[in-house]
Amino acid sequence: MKVGPNEYDLLLQNDINTKGNTQWFYFRLSNPPKGHAITINIVNLRKNDSLFNYGLMPCLYSFE
């Protein structure tokens, strides 16, 4: 969902066969603005503890 010129909110669906877990995510952004930084907010990833708290970073792939 676009919330600003270069900012998007990402809403995760629950993982299949779980009781509401959201561990994995994959998304694609089509036609992003060229030459500008983009901010993506994952707004509903709520976990008490996660590997992201210990330095894990999402992997990013771009055709540009």
Side-chain angles (χ1 to χ4, degrees):
M1 168 185 316
K2 191 168 185 172
V3 295
N6 300 322
E7 185 173 0
Y8 299 85
D9 282 349
L10 180 64
L11 298 170
L12 303 178
Q13 293 181 349
N14 293 339
D15 293 344
I16 296 172
N17 298 322
T18 70
K19 295 179 182 177
N21 298 331
T22 52
Q23 179 67 34
W24 307 103
F25 52 89
Y26 173 85
F27 62 92
R28 180 170 111 181
L29 183 62
S30 297
N31 300 319
K34 295 187 185 290
H36 297 280
I38 296 172
T39 301
I40 298 173
N41 307 304
I42 303 174
V43 296
N44 66 334
L45 182 61
R46 299 173 191 239
K47 296 180 72 175
N48 293 333
D49 201 13
S50 170
L51 291 175
F52 292 110
N53 294 337
Y54 302 96
L56 181 73
M57 299 286 291
C59 180
L60 171 70
Y61 178 79
S62 175
F63 289 106
E64 298 293 317

